[in-house]
């Protein structure tokens, strides 16, 4: 597996695996199969694994525990990234509740270390910017945890250029994690800032949450606890327009001799050597297909056709309120 430098000595496989769908967001999953998927990723050369405190707030620690169990035999050979930033004890039915107060960050980190079964978090992200806590306080808290050796790299997620600069002035930010795919381009406005500061990009949901695969289907056909039932891009009218775009993308993939998910990953990888997409899957066989995208050589004119087809990404926005859902109620 090829490696990429994200900045400040953080060198990881060119694609990473996200574990969110293993405990939330995409319907029922099976722990044994999820663990087999993580281990298959490691065998294929993937070294970046992405989790969060928030990935199943109703069973605290469930996602991190799963990842910790899966990597027990090779923990020192991989990069574990997790995130703080929500109050998972709050009632999340109306909207997700943010909490990046320094005391909360410390508590989350101690829990994450325990759940992951490790003595350090390789990358610690603030999951979402908290308007009630100045980012300088957040960066200061992470700096203390770094000084204690509990955290190696500081990351932000979905942060603006101004926030990134302010955080970076207090404690160096290594990576920004934001959604980026053929379907989602908002972060392109932030790329000049992070490149100026030497900050890498971890591109999440590079498969458009499954839209950029052969498994996309109308919203009502997903399980009741699958957030795609409520995702704006799956709603009537948007869905048909996005499916029509995918039909064209599939044609481009065929011309390139790759599968649709491979085109989606290769497109992100071609946008810069400082970008590492983290895809999600709970299916061991899909690891091989997705990892092979790293070696896909796609003609520049075919990548350009993607931009011509979708200059601004998919039809309609990705979130209704800027947050991942904490329960399906948030989306209903
Ligand atoms: N920072 C943030 O706020 C944030 C937000 C969202 C996500 N993330 C991170 O990004 C990671 C990836 O995002 P994501 O999982 O939401 O979206 P994604 O990677 O764009 O898409 C995942 C979906 O694609 C399917 N899939 C994957 N490979 C496939 C293949 N080769 N063929 C067919 N279907 C395939 C998966 O199905 P199966 O699972 O059934 O295989 C799943 O339904 C998450 O796990 C999380 O770590 C971060």
């Amino acid at each position: 597996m090829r490696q990429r430098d994200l900045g400040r000595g953080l060198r990881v496989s060119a694609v990473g695996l996200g574990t969110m769908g293993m405990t939330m967001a995409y319907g029922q999953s099976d722990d044994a199969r999820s663990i087999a998927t993580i281990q298959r990723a490691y065998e294929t050369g993937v070294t970046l694994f992405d989790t969060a405190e928030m990935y199943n707030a109703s069973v605290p620690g469930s996602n991190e525990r799963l990842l910790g169990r899966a990597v027990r035999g090779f923990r020192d050979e991989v990069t574990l990234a997790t995130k703080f930033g929500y109050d998972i004890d709050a009632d999340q039915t109306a909207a997700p509740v943010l909490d990046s107060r320094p005391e909360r960050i410390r508590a989350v980190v101690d829990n994450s270390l325990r759940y992951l079964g490790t003595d350090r978090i390789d990358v610690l992200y603030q999951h979402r910017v908290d308007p009630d806590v100045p980012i300088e306080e957040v960066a200061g808290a992470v700096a203390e945890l770094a000084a204690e050796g509990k955290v190696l790299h500081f990351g932000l997620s979905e942060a603006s250029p101004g926030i990134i600069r302010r955080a970076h002035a207090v404690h160096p930010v290594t990576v920004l994690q934001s959604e980026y795919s053929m379907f989602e381009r908002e972060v392109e406005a932030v790329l000049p800032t992070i490149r100026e500061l030497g900050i890498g990009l971890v591109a999440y949901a590079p498969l458009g949450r499954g839209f950029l695969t052969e498994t996309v289907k109308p919203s009502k056909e997903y399980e009741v606890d699958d957030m795609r039932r409520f995702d704006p891009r799956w709603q009537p009218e948007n869905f048909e327009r996005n499916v029509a775009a995918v039909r064209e993308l599939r044609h481009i993939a065929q011309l390139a001799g790759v599968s649709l998910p491979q085109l989606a990953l290769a497109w992100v990888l071609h946008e810069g050597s400082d970008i590492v997409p983290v895809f999600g899957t709970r299916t061991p066989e899909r690891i091989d297909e997705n990892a092979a995208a790293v070696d896909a050589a796609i003609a520049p004119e075919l990548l350009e056709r993607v931009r011509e087809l979708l200059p601004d990404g998919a039809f309609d926005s990705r979130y209704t309120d800027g947050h991942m859902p904490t329960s399906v109620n948030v989306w209903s």
Side-chain angles (χ1 to χ4, degrees), residues 17-21 26 50-51 55 83 127-128 157-158 177-178 204-210 213-215 227-228 261 278-283 286 289-290 319 324:
L17 176 66
T19 58
M20 181 183 77
Y26 298 139
D50 189 75
T51 177
Y55 294 162
K83 314 181 191 81
H127 209 149
R128 283 292 180 280
S157 179
E158 298 286 356
Q177 178 171 143
S178 287
Y204 79 73
L207 302 173
R209 306 170 193 200
T213 73
E214 300 299 346
T215 56
M227 73 176 197
R228 290 169 291 197
V278 287
F279 60 80
T281 183
R282 302 158 296 181
T283 315
R286 290 181 176 158
E289 176 184 3
N290 296 354
Y319 291 137
M324 289 298 292

mmCIF file of all heavy atoms in Angstrom, residues 17-21 26 50-51 55 83 127-128 157-158 177-178 204-210 213-215 227-228 261 278-283 286 289-290 319 324, ligand 1:
data_model
loop_
_atom_site.group_PDB
_atom_site.id
_atom_site.type_symbol
_atom_site.label_atom_id
_atom_site.label_comp_id
_atom_site.label_asym_id
_atom_site.label_seq_id
_atom_site.Cartn_x
_atom_site.Cartn_y
_atom_site.Cartn_z
ATOM 1 N N LEU A 17 -9.592 3.501 6.810
ATOM 2 C CA LEU A 17 -10.909 2.888 7.047
ATOM 3 C C LEU A 17 -11.607 3.596 8.203
ATOM 4 O O LEU A 17 -11.028 3.752 9.284
ATOM 5 C CB LEU A 17 -10.750 1.399 7.390
ATOM 6 C CG LEU A 17 -12.048 0.660 7.747
ATOM 7 C CD1 LEU A 17 -12.997 0.559 6.541
ATOM 8 C CD2 LEU A 17 -11.752 -0.744 8.286
ATOM 9 N N GLY A 18 -12.845 4.015 7.973
ATOM 10 C CA GLY A 18 -13.678 4.605 9.025
ATOM 11 C C GLY A 18 -14.620 3.557 9.568
ATOM 12 O O GLY A 18 -15.164 2.745 8.809
ATOM 13 N N THR A 19 -14.851 3.587 10.892
ATOM 14 C CA THR A 19 -15.644 2.527 11.510
ATOM 15 C C THR A 19 -17.057 2.977 11.914
ATOM 16 O O THR A 19 -17.785 2.212 12.529
ATOM 17 C CB THR A 19 -14.917 1.969 12.754
ATOM 18 O OG1 THR A 19 -14.696 3.040 13.678
ATOM 19 C CG2 THR A 19 -13.586 1.346 12.377
ATOM 20 N N MET A 20 -17.437 4.195 11.559
ATOM 21 C CA MET A 20 -18.732 4.719 11.997
ATOM 22 C C MET A 20 -19.891 3.756 11.716
ATOM 23 O O MET A 20 -20.706 3.461 12.598
ATOM 24 C CB MET A 20 -19.007 6.066 11.322
ATOM 25 C CG MET A 20 -20.312 6.701 11.731
ATOM 26 S SD MET A 20 -20.648 8.248 10.861
ATOM 27 C CE MET A 20 -21.163 7.619 9.267
ATOM 28 N N GLY A 21 -19.960 3.265 10.488
ATOM 29 C CA GLY A 21 -21.082 2.414 10.092
ATOM 30 C C GLY A 21 -21.132 1.083 10.829
ATOM 31 O O GLY A 21 -22.136 0.369 10.752
ATOM 32 N N TYR A 26 -25.883 3.316 9.397
ATOM 33 C CA TYR A 26 -26.205 2.568 8.183
ATOM 34 C C TYR A 26 -26.913 1.243 8.446
ATOM 35 O O TYR A 26 -26.686 0.254 7.744
ATOM 36 C CB TYR A 26 -24.929 2.342 7.365
ATOM 37 C CG TYR A 26 -24.276 3.632 6.900
ATOM 38 C CD1 TYR A 26 -22.902 3.798 6.928
ATOM 39 C CD2 TYR A 26 -25.040 4.696 6.439
ATOM 40 C CE1 TYR A 26 -22.300 4.981 6.500
ATOM 41 C CE2 TYR A 26 -24.461 5.888 6.019
ATOM 42 C CZ TYR A 26 -23.099 6.021 6.048
ATOM 43 O OH TYR A 26 -22.518 7.193 5.625
ATOM 44 N N ASP A 50 -10.327 5.252 11.688
ATOM 45 C CA ASP A 50 -11.019 6.442 12.166
ATOM 46 C C ASP A 50 -12.279 6.086 12.952
ATOM 47 O O ASP A 50 -13.169 5.406 12.444
ATOM 48 C CB ASP A 50 -11.425 7.293 10.944
ATOM 49 C CG ASP A 50 -11.954 8.647 11.348
ATOM 50 O OD1 ASP A 50 -11.135 9.497 11.732
ATOM 51 O OD2 ASP A 50 -13.184 8.846 11.294
ATOM 52 N N THR A 51 -12.342 6.551 14.207
ATOM 53 C CA THR A 51 -13.517 6.314 15.041
ATOM 54 C C THR A 51 -13.893 7.626 15.728
ATOM 55 O O THR A 51 -13.358 8.683 15.399
ATOM 56 C CB THR A 51 -13.240 5.179 16.071
ATOM 57 O OG1 THR A 51 -14.384 5.013 16.918
ATOM 58 C CG2 THR A 51 -12.043 5.463 16.942
ATOM 59 N N TYR A 55 -19.776 7.753 17.803
ATOM 60 C CA TYR A 55 -20.297 6.718 16.915
ATOM 61 C C TYR A 55 -21.047 5.636 17.686
ATOM 62 O O TYR A 55 -20.564 4.527 17.886
ATOM 63 C CB TYR A 55 -19.171 6.122 16.061
ATOM 64 C CG TYR A 55 -18.579 7.115 15.086
ATOM 65 C CD1 TYR A 55 -17.341 6.905 14.497
ATOM 66 C CD2 TYR A 55 -19.267 8.280 14.735
ATOM 67 C CE1 TYR A 55 -16.800 7.820 13.599
ATOM 68 C CE2 TYR A 55 -18.730 9.197 13.849
ATOM 69 C CZ TYR A 55 -17.505 8.963 13.284
ATOM 70 O OH TYR A 55 -16.972 9.867 12.397
ATOM 71 N N LYS A 83 -12.398 11.171 18.114
ATOM 72 C CA LYS A 83 -12.918 12.547 18.153
ATOM 73 C C LYS A 83 -13.722 12.808 19.422
ATOM 74 O O LYS A 83 -14.433 11.911 19.889
ATOM 75 C CB LYS A 83 -13.847 12.798 16.953
ATOM 76 C CG LYS A 83 -13.296 12.313 15.629
ATOM 77 C CD LYS A 83 -14.217 12.597 14.466
ATOM 78 C CE LYS A 83 -13.772 11.866 13.216
ATOM 79 N NZ LYS A 83 -14.170 10.455 13.157
ATOM 80 N N HIS A 127 -14.676 17.093 16.893
ATOM 81 C CA HIS A 127 -15.613 16.562 15.895
ATOM 82 C C HIS A 127 -16.373 17.685 15.165
ATOM 83 O O HIS A 127 -16.567 17.633 13.954
ATOM 84 C CB HIS A 127 -16.609 15.626 16.601
ATOM 85 C CG HIS A 127 -17.137 14.532 15.735
ATOM 86 N ND1 HIS A 127 -17.494 13.310 16.226
ATOM 87 C CD2 HIS A 127 -17.376 14.460 14.403
ATOM 88 C CE1 HIS A 127 -17.944 12.549 15.235
ATOM 89 N NE2 HIS A 127 -17.882 13.227 14.122
ATOM 90 N N ARG A 128 -16.820 18.668 15.948
ATOM 91 C CA ARG A 128 -17.444 19.855 15.370
ATOM 92 C C ARG A 128 -17.047 21.046 16.229
ATOM 93 O O ARG A 128 -16.920 20.928 17.453
ATOM 94 C CB ARG A 128 -18.977 19.756 15.375
ATOM 95 C CG ARG A 128 -19.568 18.884 14.307
ATOM 96 C CD ARG A 128 -19.380 19.457 12.903
ATOM 97 N NE ARG A 128 -19.980 18.572 11.903
ATOM 98 C CZ ARG A 128 -19.411 17.451 11.432
ATOM 99 N NH1 ARG A 128 -18.220 17.081 11.850
ATOM 100 N NH2 ARG A 128 -20.036 16.719 10.532
ATOM 101 N N SER A 157 -12.385 19.024 12.558
ATOM 102 C CA SER A 157 -13.296 18.454 11.570
ATOM 103 C C SER A 157 -14.313 19.505 11.161
ATOM 104 O O SER A 157 -14.921 20.154 12.022
ATOM 105 C CB SER A 157 -14.005 17.225 12.163
ATOM 106 O OG SER A 157 -14.912 16.680 11.226
ATOM 107 N N GLU A 158 -14.463 19.685 9.858
ATOM 108 C CA GLU A 158 -15.433 20.648 9.310
ATOM 109 C C GLU A 158 -15.214 22.042 9.884
ATOM 110 O O GLU A 158 -16.175 22.749 10.204
ATOM 111 C CB GLU A 158 -16.875 20.177 9.582
ATOM 112 C CG GLU A 158 -17.238 18.848 8.932
ATOM 113 C CD GLU A 158 -17.446 18.948 7.419
ATOM 114 O OE1 GLU A 158 -17.388 20.054 6.859
ATOM 115 O OE2 GLU A 158 -17.648 17.877 6.799
ATOM 116 N N GLN A 177 -10.274 17.082 9.021
ATOM 117 C CA GLN A 177 -11.115 16.025 8.456
ATOM 118 C C GLN A 177 -12.431 16.647 8.020
ATOM 119 O O GLN A 177 -13.132 17.244 8.834
ATOM 120 C CB GLN A 177 -11.391 14.917 9.478
ATOM 121 C CG GLN A 177 -12.304 13.857 8.893
ATOM 122 C CD GLN A 177 -12.481 12.604 9.729
ATOM 123 O OE1 GLN A 177 -13.567 12.040 9.767
ATOM 124 N NE2 GLN A 177 -11.435 12.142 10.389
ATOM 125 N N SER A 178 -12.717 16.563 6.739
ATOM 126 C CA SER A 178 -13.985 17.095 6.239
ATOM 127 C C SER A 178 -14.491 16.187 5.142
ATOM 128 O O SER A 178 -13.726 15.417 4.550
ATOM 129 C CB SER A 178 -13.796 18.521 5.702
ATOM 130 O OG SER A 178 -13.608 19.417 6.772
ATOM 131 N N TYR A 204 -13.500 12.514 4.493
ATOM 132 C CA TYR A 204 -14.439 11.485 4.946
ATOM 133 C C TYR A 204 -15.604 11.331 3.971
ATOM 134 O O TYR A 204 -15.864 12.210 3.151
ATOM 135 C CB TYR A 204 -14.893 11.732 6.386
ATOM 136 C CG TYR A 204 -15.954 12.781 6.643
ATOM 137 C CD1 TYR A 204 -17.287 12.581 6.309
ATOM 138 C CD2 TYR A 204 -15.638 13.958 7.310
ATOM 139 C CE1 TYR A 204 -18.265 13.517 6.601
ATOM 140 C CE2 TYR A 204 -16.607 14.904 7.615
ATOM 141 C CZ TYR A 204 -17.921 14.683 7.242
ATOM 142 O OH TYR A 204 -18.881 15.614 7.525
ATOM 143 N N ALA A 205 -16.274 10.191 4.088
ATOM 144 C CA ALA A 205 -17.384 9.826 3.192
ATOM 145 C C ALA A 205 -17.016 10.014 1.716
ATOM 146 O O ALA A 205 -17.770 10.617 0.954
ATOM 147 C CB ALA A 205 -18.659 10.587 3.557
ATOM 148 N N PRO A 206 -15.883 9.485 1.283
ATOM 149 C CA PRO A 206 -15.468 9.657 -0.121
ATOM 150 C C PRO A 206 -16.364 8.898 -1.096
ATOM 151 O O PRO A 206 -16.319 9.163 -2.301
ATOM 152 C CB PRO A 206 -14.040 9.086 -0.130
ATOM 153 C CG PRO A 206 -14.034 8.082 0.987
ATOM 154 C CD PRO A 206 -14.918 8.670 2.047
ATOM 155 N N LEU A 207 -17.176 7.982 -0.564
ATOM 156 C CA LEU A 207 -18.101 7.232 -1.422
ATOM 157 C C LEU A 207 -19.508 7.832 -1.347
ATOM 158 O O LEU A 207 -20.493 7.164 -1.677
ATOM 159 C CB LEU A 207 -18.116 5.756 -0.999
ATOM 160 C CG LEU A 207 -16.747 5.069 -1.054
ATOM 161 C CD1 LEU A 207 -16.809 3.660 -0.463
ATOM 162 C CD2 LEU A 207 -16.222 5.012 -2.492
ATOM 163 N N GLY A 208 -19.577 9.084 -0.898
ATOM 164 C CA GLY A 208 -20.882 9.745 -0.852
ATOM 165 C C GLY A 208 -21.878 8.990 -0.001
ATOM 166 O O GLY A 208 -23.059 8.967 -0.289
ATOM 167 N N ARG A 209 -21.374 8.349 1.092
ATOM 168 C CA ARG A 209 -22.209 7.561 2.021
ATOM 169 C C ARG A 209 -22.868 6.367 1.330
ATOM 170 O O ARG A 209 -23.948 5.930 1.715
ATOM 171 C CB ARG A 209 -23.263 8.442 2.670
ATOM 172 C CG ARG A 209 -22.633 9.649 3.321
ATOM 173 C CD ARG A 209 -23.635 10.634 3.747
ATOM 174 N NE ARG A 209 -22.957 11.886 4.088
ATOM 175 C CZ ARG A 209 -23.463 12.812 4.837
ATOM 176 N NH1 ARG A 209 -24.661 12.647 5.338
ATOM 177 N NH2 ARG A 209 -22.797 13.911 5.084
ATOM 178 N N GLY A 210 -22.219 5.937 0.285
ATOM 179 C CA GLY A 210 -22.736 4.769 -0.434
ATOM 180 C C GLY A 210 -23.430 5.132 -1.735
ATOM 181 O O GLY A 210 -23.763 4.250 -2.528
ATOM 182 N N THR A 213 -21.599 4.069 -5.196
ATOM 183 C CA THR A 213 -21.344 2.628 -5.265
ATOM 184 C C THR A 213 -22.509 1.981 -6.012
ATOM 185 O O THR A 213 -23.488 2.649 -6.335
ATOM 186 C CB THR A 213 -21.261 1.974 -3.858
ATOM 187 O OG1 THR A 213 -22.584 1.913 -3.305
ATOM 188 C CG2 THR A 213 -20.339 2.748 -2.924
ATOM 189 N N GLU A 214 -22.413 0.694 -6.207
ATOM 190 C CA GLU A 214 -23.500 -0.015 -6.910
ATOM 191 C C GLU A 214 -24.625 -0.407 -5.958
ATOM 192 O O GLU A 214 -25.550 -1.118 -6.354
ATOM 193 C CB GLU A 214 -22.942 -1.259 -7.609
ATOM 194 C CG GLU A 214 -21.856 -0.969 -8.642
ATOM 195 C CD GLU A 214 -22.333 -0.077 -9.794
ATOM 196 O OE1 GLU A 214 -23.554 0.105 -9.951
ATOM 197 O OE2 GLU A 214 -21.460 0.436 -10.517
ATOM 198 N N THR A 215 -24.564 0.035 -4.702
ATOM 199 C CA THR A 215 -25.570 -0.403 -3.738
ATOM 200 C C THR A 215 -26.618 0.670 -3.427
ATOM 201 O O THR A 215 -27.501 0.445 -2.612
ATOM 202 C CB THR A 215 -24.912 -0.834 -2.406
ATOM 203 O OG1 THR A 215 -24.133 0.258 -1.918
ATOM 204 C CG2 THR A 215 -24.018 -2.042 -2.590
ATOM 205 N N MET A 227 -29.537 6.290 8.267
ATOM 206 C CA MET A 227 -29.746 7.735 8.122
ATOM 207 C C MET A 227 -30.001 8.150 6.669
ATOM 208 O O MET A 227 -30.476 9.253 6.420
ATOM 209 C CB MET A 227 -28.553 8.509 8.674
ATOM 210 C CG MET A 227 -27.310 8.449 7.842
ATOM 211 S SD MET A 227 -26.043 9.517 8.567
ATOM 212 C CE MET A 227 -24.919 9.662 7.185
ATOM 213 N N ARG A 228 -29.726 7.258 5.716
ATOM 214 C CA ARG A 228 -29.971 7.626 4.332
ATOM 215 C C ARG A 228 -31.454 7.729 4.009
ATOM 216 O O ARG A 228 -31.832 8.312 3.001
ATOM 217 C CB ARG A 228 -29.246 6.640 3.410
ATOM 218 C CG ARG A 228 -27.745 6.833 3.507
ATOM 219 C CD ARG A 228 -26.968 5.744 2.850
ATOM 220 N NE ARG A 228 -27.083 4.479 3.563
ATOM 221 C CZ ARG A 228 -26.255 3.452 3.382
ATOM 222 N NH1 ARG A 228 -25.275 3.541 2.523
ATOM 223 N NH2 ARG A 228 -26.416 2.333 4.064
ATOM 224 N N PRO A 261 -16.891 2.699 -7.124
ATOM 225 C CA PRO A 261 -16.232 3.124 -5.875
ATOM 226 C C PRO A 261 -14.740 3.413 -6.071
ATOM 227 O O PRO A 261 -14.196 4.327 -5.457
ATOM 228 C CB PRO A 261 -16.420 1.926 -4.930
ATOM 229 C CG PRO A 261 -17.507 1.111 -5.511
ATOM 230 C CD PRO A 261 -17.558 1.394 -6.979
ATOM 231 N N VAL A 278 -10.891 8.480 3.865
ATOM 232 C CA VAL A 278 -11.270 7.363 4.749
ATOM 233 C C VAL A 278 -12.672 6.922 4.350
ATOM 234 O O VAL A 278 -13.635 7.663 4.472
ATOM 235 C CB VAL A 278 -11.229 7.694 6.273
ATOM 236 C CG1 VAL A 278 -9.813 7.796 6.784
ATOM 237 C CG2 VAL A 278 -12.025 8.914 6.653
ATOM 238 N N PHE A 279 -12.734 5.723 3.812
ATOM 239 C CA PHE A 279 -14.029 5.171 3.411
ATOM 240 C C PHE A 279 -14.570 4.293 4.533
ATOM 241 O O PHE A 279 -13.817 3.848 5.413
ATOM 242 C CB PHE A 279 -13.900 4.363 2.104
ATOM 243 C CG PHE A 279 -12.958 3.193 2.193
ATOM 244 C CD1 PHE A 279 -13.345 1.988 2.770
ATOM 245 C CD2 PHE A 279 -11.666 3.285 1.694
ATOM 246 C CE1 PHE A 279 -12.475 0.906 2.857
ATOM 247 C CE2 PHE A 279 -10.785 2.208 1.768
ATOM 248 C CZ PHE A 279 -11.192 1.019 2.356
ATOM 249 N N GLY A 280 -15.858 4.020 4.479
ATOM 250 C CA GLY A 280 -16.468 3.124 5.458
ATOM 251 C C GLY A 280 -16.974 1.879 4.771
ATOM 252 O O GLY A 280 -17.545 1.953 3.682
ATOM 253 N N THR A 281 -16.725 0.741 5.374
ATOM 254 C CA THR A 281 -17.381 -0.497 4.932
ATOM 255 C C THR A 281 -17.365 -1.474 6.091
ATOM 256 O O THR A 281 -16.510 -1.407 6.965
ATOM 257 C CB THR A 281 -16.730 -1.129 3.690
ATOM 258 O OG1 THR A 281 -17.491 -2.283 3.310
ATOM 259 C CG2 THR A 281 -15.288 -1.560 3.932
ATOM 260 N N ARG A 282 -18.360 -2.368 6.081
ATOM 261 C CA ARG A 282 -18.420 -3.444 7.085
ATOM 262 C C ARG A 282 -18.274 -4.781 6.398
ATOM 263 O O ARG A 282 -18.657 -5.810 6.925
ATOM 264 C CB ARG A 282 -19.769 -3.377 7.820
ATOM 265 C CG ARG A 282 -20.021 -2.053 8.493
ATOM 266 C CD ARG A 282 -21.488 -1.825 8.724
ATOM 267 N NE ARG A 282 -22.210 -1.745 7.459
ATOM 268 C CZ ARG A 282 -23.518 -1.525 7.367
ATOM 269 N NH1 ARG A 282 -24.238 -1.369 8.454
ATOM 270 N NH2 ARG A 282 -24.098 -1.460 6.186
ATOM 271 N N THR A 283 -17.745 -4.731 5.172
ATOM 272 C CA THR A 283 -17.725 -5.905 4.314
ATOM 273 C C THR A 283 -16.282 -6.203 3.915
ATOM 274 O O THR A 283 -15.690 -5.444 3.139
ATOM 275 C CB THR A 283 -18.573 -5.601 3.045
ATOM 276 O OG1 THR A 283 -19.797 -4.973 3.447
ATOM 277 C CG2 THR A 283 -18.850 -6.852 2.258
ATOM 278 N N ARG A 286 -15.052 -5.819 0.334
ATOM 279 C CA ARG A 286 -15.006 -4.474 -0.258
ATOM 280 C C ARG A 286 -13.691 -3.767 0.037
ATOM 281 O O ARG A 286 -13.334 -2.804 -0.640
ATOM 282 C CB ARG A 286 -16.191 -3.644 0.238
ATOM 283 C CG ARG A 286 -17.478 -4.168 -0.346
ATOM 284 C CD ARG A 286 -18.687 -3.380 0.078
ATOM 285 N NE ARG A 286 -19.862 -3.914 -0.604
ATOM 286 C CZ ARG A 286 -21.098 -3.776 -0.196
ATOM 287 N NH1 ARG A 286 -21.360 -3.094 0.912
ATOM 288 N NH2 ARG A 286 -22.095 -4.301 -0.880
ATOM 289 N N GLU A 289 -11.374 -4.227 -3.007
ATOM 290 C CA GLU A 289 -11.799 -3.375 -4.127
ATOM 291 C C GLU A 289 -11.417 -1.920 -3.868
ATOM 292 O O GLU A 289 -10.838 -1.246 -4.720
ATOM 293 C CB GLU A 289 -13.319 -3.492 -4.324
ATOM 294 C CG GLU A 289 -13.839 -2.570 -5.413
ATOM 295 C CD GLU A 289 -15.356 -2.609 -5.563
ATOM 296 O OE1 GLU A 289 -16.033 -3.304 -4.789
ATOM 297 O OE2 GLU A 289 -15.850 -1.915 -6.488
ATOM 298 N N ASN A 290 -11.709 -1.441 -2.656
ATOM 299 C CA ASN A 290 -11.462 -0.026 -2.363
ATOM 300 C C ASN A 290 -9.972 0.275 -2.275
ATOM 301 O O ASN A 290 -9.513 1.314 -2.761
ATOM 302 C CB ASN A 290 -12.181 0.367 -1.066
ATOM 303 C CG ASN A 290 -13.697 0.252 -1.187
ATOM 304 O OD1 ASN A 290 -14.220 -0.021 -2.265
ATOM 305 N ND2 ASN A 290 -14.405 0.450 -0.091
ATOM 306 N N TYR A 319 -26.190 17.792 4.749
ATOM 307 C CA TYR A 319 -26.797 17.732 6.071
ATOM 308 C C TYR A 319 -27.962 18.705 6.129
ATOM 309 O O TYR A 319 -27.912 19.765 5.524
ATOM 310 C CB TYR A 319 -25.815 18.172 7.155
ATOM 311 C CG TYR A 319 -24.664 17.251 7.394
ATOM 312 C CD1 TYR A 319 -23.389 17.758 7.566
ATOM 313 C CD2 TYR A 319 -24.835 15.878 7.470
ATOM 314 C CE1 TYR A 319 -22.307 16.938 7.811
ATOM 315 C CE2 TYR A 319 -23.761 15.045 7.709
ATOM 316 C CZ TYR A 319 -22.500 15.576 7.877
ATOM 317 O OH TYR A 319 -21.439 14.753 8.123
ATOM 318 N N MET A 324 -23.804 15.388 11.839
ATOM 319 C CA MET A 324 -24.210 14.016 11.663
ATOM 320 C C MET A 324 -25.384 13.774 12.597
ATOM 321 O O MET A 324 -25.444 14.344 13.669
ATOM 322 C CB MET A 324 -23.081 13.065 12.073
ATOM 323 C CG MET A 324 -21.917 13.059 11.127
ATOM 324 S SD MET A 324 -22.415 12.502 9.498
ATOM 325 C CE MET A 324 -22.793 10.794 9.817
HETATM 326 N N1 LIG B 1 -15.773 13.882 10.777
HETATM 327 C C1 LIG B 1 -17.031 13.630 10.558
HETATM 328 O O1 LIG B 1 -17.924 14.377 10.939
HETATM 329 C C2 LIG B 1 -17.418 12.364 9.841
HETATM 330 C C3 LIG B 1 -18.712 12.240 9.317
HETATM 331 C C4 LIG B 1 -19.032 11.058 8.635
HETATM 332 C C5 LIG B 1 -18.091 10.068 8.475
HETATM 333 N N2 LIG B 1 -16.838 10.231 8.997
HETATM 334 C C6 LIG B 1 -15.815 9.158 8.871
HETATM 335 O O2 LIG B 1 -15.703 8.771 7.504
HETATM 336 C C7 LIG B 1 -15.864 7.353 7.407
HETATM 337 C C8 LIG B 1 -16.434 6.993 6.054
HETATM 338 O O3 LIG B 1 -17.665 7.652 5.836
HETATM 339 P P1 LIG B 1 -19.037 6.899 5.591
HETATM 340 O O4 LIG B 1 -18.914 5.487 5.987
HETATM 341 O O5 LIG B 1 -20.113 7.725 6.199
HETATM 342 O O6 LIG B 1 -19.278 7.043 4.016
HETATM 343 P P2 LIG B 1 -18.621 6.409 2.702
HETATM 344 O O7 LIG B 1 -17.291 5.852 2.982
HETATM 345 O O8 LIG B 1 -18.741 7.453 1.674
HETATM 346 O O9 LIG B 1 -19.678 5.262 2.329
HETATM 347 C C9 LIG B 1 -19.921 4.149 3.130
HETATM 348 C C10 LIG B 1 -20.991 3.297 2.467
HETATM 349 O O10 LIG B 1 -20.478 2.770 1.241
HETATM 350 C C11 LIG B 1 -20.634 1.353 1.236
HETATM 351 N N3 LIG B 1 -19.482 0.794 0.509
HETATM 352 C C12 LIG B 1 -18.172 0.929 0.813
HETATM 353 N N4 LIG B 1 -17.405 0.342 -0.122
HETATM 354 C C13 LIG B 1 -18.242 -0.187 -1.044
HETATM 355 C C14 LIG B 1 -18.061 -0.927 -2.238
HETATM 356 N N5 LIG B 1 -16.853 -1.208 -2.711
HETATM 357 N N6 LIG B 1 -19.162 -1.327 -2.915
HETATM 358 C C15 LIG B 1 -20.396 -1.042 -2.467
HETATM 359 N N7 LIG B 1 -20.647 -0.329 -1.342
HETATM 360 C C16 LIG B 1 -19.572 0.081 -0.633
HETATM 361 C C17 LIG B 1 -20.705 0.923 2.678
HETATM 362 O O11 LIG B 1 -21.460 -0.259 2.783
HETATM 363 P P3 LIG B 1 -21.128 -1.474 3.805
HETATM 364 O O12 LIG B 1 -20.701 -0.869 5.121
HETATM 365 O O13 LIG B 1 -22.423 -2.180 3.922
HETATM 366 O O14 LIG B 1 -20.051 -2.294 3.196
HETATM 367 C C18 LIG B 1 -21.427 2.111 3.310
HETATM 368 O O15 LIG B 1 -22.819 1.979 3.146
HETATM 369 C C19 LIG B 1 -16.759 7.018 8.605
HETATM 370 O O16 LIG B 1 -16.676 5.648 8.960
HETATM 371 C C20 LIG B 1 -16.184 7.918 9.668
HETATM 372 O O17 LIG B 1 -15.008 7.341 10.223
HETATM 373 C C21 LIG B 1 -16.488 11.365 9.668
#
